[in-house]
Amino acid sequence: MKFQMNDSAIIKQVNELMAQMSIEDKVLQMVYVDGPVPGNEAIIKEGRVGCVANVFTSSEINKIQSYTEKTKHAIPYLMIADVIQGYKTIFPIPLAEACSFDPDMVEKTSKAAAREAGASGINWIAGPMVDVARDPRWGRIAEGAGEDTYLNGVMGAARVKGYKDVDRMISCTKHYLAYGTGEGGRDYNTAEVSENTLRNVYLPPFKACVEAGTESIMIAFNDALGVPMSANKYLLQDVLRDELGFEGHLATDYQAIRELITHGVASDSIEACRKAINAGSELDMAANIYIEHLTGLIESGEVDSGIIDRAVLRILYIKFSMGIFENRYYDEELEKTITLGDDLKKIALESARNSIVLLKNDHSILPLKKSGSRILVTGPLADNNDAPLGWWRCQGKPENVITVLDAIKNTVAEKSTIEYLKGCEIIGGGSDEIESTVKAAGNADVIIAVIGEHAKMSGEAHCRSDISLPGRQLQLLAKLRATGKPIIAVLINGRPLDLSSVIEYTDAIVEAWQFGISGQAVADIIFGDFNPSAKTCVTFPRRTGQIPIYYNHKTTGRPHETPDTIEHLNDEALASFQTTFNSKYMDLKSTPLFPFGFGLSYTTFSYTEVAIENSNETFTAWAEVTNTGKVAGAEIVQLYIGDVTASITRPVKELKGFVKLHLAPGESKRAEFTISPDMLSFYNFENKLVVEPGQFKVWIAPDSATGNYQIFEIKES
Ligand code: BGC
């Protein structure tokens, strides 16, 4: 349910309090102070700012909250932290969890993370991140639900609900708007994007989170439509407040108000202050600009005091409604029992199992048998307890991670059949390790190579210009391939990588992502204790040069009709280019390596043709899905819709629904979807939300690249 300030009793309490507050008291409520930053101790001790960040234990937080109680108005602190993939019990990165296509599970992990954070005294989570990300070079792709608008909305809303379910906890949906589309995949870069695309692609996940009840939204660093977001009155006021009806609190990002000067739209900090406050930025995160100038600007009449009154009303309303005025302290004993509890670890395992995507499994080499074969475990990430935690690990510690090697040892029947050699480093290193590993491969029946990225190769400000496997890892795979032994690749990474060579050198690929603490999930999948069902929420490019590549692209006037024909630049390709003037590269196929929505299982599924029924102007689309294999499995069935003709160009198809069906061998179930008007609506040229009459294609399919469609028609009313 949308956050609304409609409780008159709370409004009364806030008004009474505000009547006693000075302008300075109010301005201080609009200030965020970073706890660990040297020099901030004094202001925290004064107890008068609105929010303190990055303090992590209940004893510390209780101490800090006690400062607020001693002040004239005794307004408790909001205590904020980036709980992106758990607090101390680390879950898979959000990109991985989105591959589960299971919002109930994501709500459960989010609630668990919020419970653990809340037990330590955190009451404001700086998440979820719902930035649609079509560029895997961008390091923060790890932090959201990937490239799809609808999926980001569903997962974001699930997280908001999970956080809300915890006592005294609120969320901060971020980063509004278009932060995921920085040019060249570089963090903080300009979002060169039309208003129409902003509305059709980047805005809907924020709408979903507003509707799920997020209490606050964080404003992005970047500019959009030529104006930095912290000063973007149009997108903050007209769109977010007036159109989406968001009534919660609007926080800027870290030092972003000061960055209005670097962006070149403010000549000094006073102008930055004026622009930010007038645009609707209500919390100054660590820029110290409101503290320096805002009181003065209000006293001199340069800024209307009504603006800060509205902002402070919202902050105090939230603080009252959370119940932190009555109780700002946390039970230090309870924190001990909740933190890293077995229940949390169980949820982490469930999440990792459901987030790991099986990308390749030639000749059903997986699952492996637990006994009877000699296994060589290799790769720089096999025995690595740091990389699985990813960049946003909050309070997660490597010592709590079960590595893939540990998990394999826990799972196989005879430990003696496992040999482990690192093979190479993630980055750098010499070739000696490779040679000895190749030698050891001679004694093995099967090789498990755990490869990928360092934890710090994704995350904020950690972008890559080339998304292939770093270091000598490919060399290791190539040499192991030459031994003729079967190879299972397990990938630990924060973004989809270029796997064009990995696919050639291996028999199976398990995309484990940065799975958090539960390496056991990887072994459960490799040895068949869990049948994988996740499907990728991002397109895997063949090469970095294909980026941006995403399933819901436009057709163009000249689509590439035979996208799978071109291998590389050769005479044939050159000759064909004399005659075929369409949208392609001369040196690469136009298709992705793995499409959005793709993932394998240890069983197989068949789909009937899509059927469409129309009764009382409501369309229902359905298909029968059957487990045609020998083991039970879960299939993520996806609904895509494409607008055949519209007043503006529209994507070839868009995900509009999905369902996970659990099927016993031979069992069939119907996947049925009611097609609602919002599934057909889009922002038109005038940026009005419309449903245009005409034909629509409907797919019910295992991924975004396969399946047949049916057509239905919406008649002019
Ligand atoms: C990030 C935000 C984060 C904030 C506070 C910023 O650099 O962009 O997502 O919430 O830091 O840690």
Side-chain angles (χ1 to χ4, degrees), residues 32 54 82 126 140 143 174-175 179 218 221 253-254 285 392 460:
Y32 160 118
N54 301 324
D82 291 286
R140 296 193 85 170
E143 218 180 311
K174 62 196 191 182
H175 308 82
Y179 181 45
M218 194 184 295
F221 286 117
D253 205 340
Y254 209 91
M285 188 188 285
W392 282 106
E460 185 173 349

Side-chain angles (χ1 to χ4, degrees), residues 448-462:
I448 300 177
V450 190
I451 52 181
E453 293 179 305
H454 193 281
K456 294 206 172 83
M457 291 180 85
S458 57
E460 185 173 349
H462 289 71

Side-chain angles (χ1 to χ4, degrees), residues 421-442:
L421 283 159
K422 192 175 188 185
C424 63
E425 303 301 318
I426 303 174
I427 313 169
S431 53
D432 312 356
E433 286 176 293
I434 296 187
E435 295 314 326
S436 49
T437 309
V438 171
K439 224 161 156 201

Side-chain angles (χ1 to χ4, degrees), residues 99-331:
C99 296
S100 71
F101 283 74
D102 188 342
D104 293 342
M105 188 201 77
V106 168
E107 188 176 329
K108 189 153 113 184
T109 58
S110 304
K111 182 176 172 180
R115 239 181 90 237
E116 199 182 39
S120 291
I122 303 296
N123 56 26
W124 191 15
I125 288 181
M129 186 189 100
V130 293
D131 297 310
V132 170
R134 291 171 161 181
D135 193 328
R137 292 173 295 183
W138 187 48
R140 296 193 85 170
I141 195 170
E143 218 180 311
E147 76 190 34
D148 187 61
T149 300
Y150 174 71
L151 192 60
N152 266 287
V154 171
M155 292 305 175
R159 289 188 190 279
V160 167
K161 287 185 204 150
Y163 303 150
K164 262 187 138 31
D165 227 6
V166 170
D167 183 37
R168 296 182 281 170
M169 185 63 79
I170 59 167
S171 62
C172 185
T173 301
K174 62 196 191 182
H175 308 82
Y176 182 83
L177 186 65
Y179 181 45
T181 187
E183 280 187 339
R186 254 171 47 217
D187 214 352
Y188 318 120
N189 208 0
T190 292
E192 186 51 58
V193 59
S194 70
E195 179 168 350
N196 193 259
T197 302
L198 274 182
R199 287 172 175 275
N200 281 320
V201 176
Y202 297 97
L203 186 63
F206 286 91
K207 186 165 184 243
C209 291
V210 167
E211 268 147 30
T214 195
E215 297 85 353
S216 67
I217 289 182
M218 194 184 295
I219 304 165
F221 286 117
N222 53 280
D223 65 333
L225 306 177
V227 181
M229 283 307 304
S230 304
N232 200 318
K233 196 167 182 189
Y234 174 63
L235 290 172
L236 297 180
Q237 296 291 334
D238 300 23
V239 177
L240 184 57
R241 292 265 185 234
D242 300 346
E243 286 183 38
L244 298 197
F246 176 60
E247 283 194 18
H249 167 65
L250 266 179
T252 56
D253 205 340
Y254 209 91
Q255 298 181 339
I257 299 183
R258 196 167 294 279
E259 289 166 17
L260 294 177
I261 304 170
T262 352
H263 270 292
V265 299
S267 54
D268 56 22
S269 54
I270 298 187
E271 196 179 1
C273 182
R274 209 182 304 119
K275 286 206 162 179
I277 190 73
N278 286 331
S281 291
E282 295 180 334
L283 179 100
D284 177 351
M285 188 188 285
N288 293 330
I289 282 196
Y290 283 0
I291 231 171
E292 276 171 33
H293 304 299
L294 195 48
T295 306
L297 286 173
I298 290 165
E299 280 168 354
S300 68
E302 280 182 78
V303 167
D304 175 10
S305 63
I307 297 185
I308 65 157
D309 282 344
R310 267 194 305 280
V312 176
L313 173 74
R314 269 192 267 270
I315 295 176
L316 294 179
Y317 186 99
I318 290 170
K319 288 186 176 181
F320 273 110
S321 60
M322 289 164 76
I324 52 174
F325 270 92
E326 292 92 71
N327 185 9
R328 67 196 70 193
Y329 298 111
Y330 291 81
D331 180 340

Side-chain angles (χ1 to χ4, degrees), residues 402-423:
I402 299 174
T403 66
V404 174
L405 180 64
D406 292 340
I408 292 172
K409 286 184 181 161
N410 291 343
T411 308
V412 293
E414 310 119 52
K415 314 258 170 292
S416 58
T417 58
I418 296 174
E419 186 170 11
Y420 163 68
L421 283 159
K422 192 175 188 185

Side-chain angles (χ1 to χ4, degrees), residues 293-553:
H293 304 299
L294 195 48
T295 306
L297 286 173
I298 290 165
E299 280 168 354
S300 68
E302 280 182 78
V303 167
D304 175 10
S305 63
I307 297 185
I308 65 157
D309 282 344
R310 267 194 305 280
V312 176
L313 173 74
R314 269 192 267 270
I315 295 176
L316 294 179
Y317 186 99
I318 290 170
K319 288 186 176 181
F320 273 110
S321 60
M322 289 164 76
I324 52 174
F325 270 92
E326 292 92 71
N327 185 9
R328 67 196 70 193
Y329 298 111
Y330 291 81
D331 180 340
E332 293 173 25
E333 286 310 308
L334 189 66
E335 178 188 24
K336 285 186 204 143
T337 60
I338 289 183
T339 301
L340 286 165
D342 286 347
D343 53 338
L344 292 172
K345 290 183 182 157
K346 213 169 131 200
I347 295 173
L349 174 64
E350 179 194 345
S351 168
R353 283 170 152 194
N354 283 288
S355 304
I356 294 173
V357 188
L358 180 63
L359 290 174
K360 178 179 179 183
N361 191 18
D362 277 3
H363 312 297
S364 299
I365 181 161
L366 291 179
L368 299 179
K369 287 203 261 350
K370 288 184 189 169
S371 62
S373 49
R374 294 162 302 167
I375 303 171
L376 172 67
V377 180
T378 184
L381 295 165
D383 196 26
N384 182 317
N385 60 4
D386 187 76
L389 292 175
W391 199 84
W392 282 106
R393 61 187 61 188
C394 201
Q395 291 298 287
K397 300 273 176 294
E399 60 262 29
N400 295 317
V401 171
I402 299 174
T403 66
V404 174
L405 180 64
D406 292 340
I408 292 172
K409 286 184 181 161
N410 291 343
T411 308
V412 293
E414 310 119 52
K415 314 258 170 292
S416 58
T417 58
I418 296 174
E419 186 170 11
Y420 163 68
L421 283 159
K422 192 175 188 185
C424 63
E425 303 301 318
I426 303 174
I427 313 169
S431 53
D432 312 356
E433 286 176 293
I434 296 187
E435 295 314 326
S436 49
T437 309
V438 171
K439 224 161 156 201
N443 302 323
D445 300 312
V446 61
I447 300 164
I448 300 177
V450 190
I451 52 181
E453 293 179 305
H454 193 281
K456 294 206 172 83
M457 291 180 85
S458 57
E460 185 173 349
H462 289 71
C463 304
R464 298 182 63 195
S465 69
D466 172 3
I467 59 163
S468 54
L469 264 185
R472 295 173 182 266
Q473 298 182 78
L474 265 185
Q475 209 180 319
L476 171 69
L477 282 186
K479 293 230 163 146
L480 289 172
R481 191 57 168 173
T483 65
K485 300 292 167 84
I487 304 178
I488 320 293
V490 174
L491 290 160
I492 300 180
N493 48 327
R495 59 161 61 74
L497 295 172
D498 162 356
L499 301 178
S500 312
S501 302
V502 177
I503 208 170
E504 275 177 36
Y505 298 150
T506 56
D507 298 276
I509 303 178
V510 177
E511 175 55 87
W513 305 111
Q514 288 159 339
F515 52 71
I517 57 167
S518 289
Q520 188 57 45
V522 177
D524 290 349
I525 285 175
I526 290 180
F527 294 96
D529 288 330
F530 186 81
N531 186 356
S533 61
K535 303 208 180 191
T536 176
C537 66
V538 272
T539 299
F540 279 67
R542 291 176 191 277
R543 279 216 286 276
T544 306
Q546 272 182 320
I547 298 169
I549 179 168
Y550 46 90
Y551 84 92
N552 47 352
H553 58 83

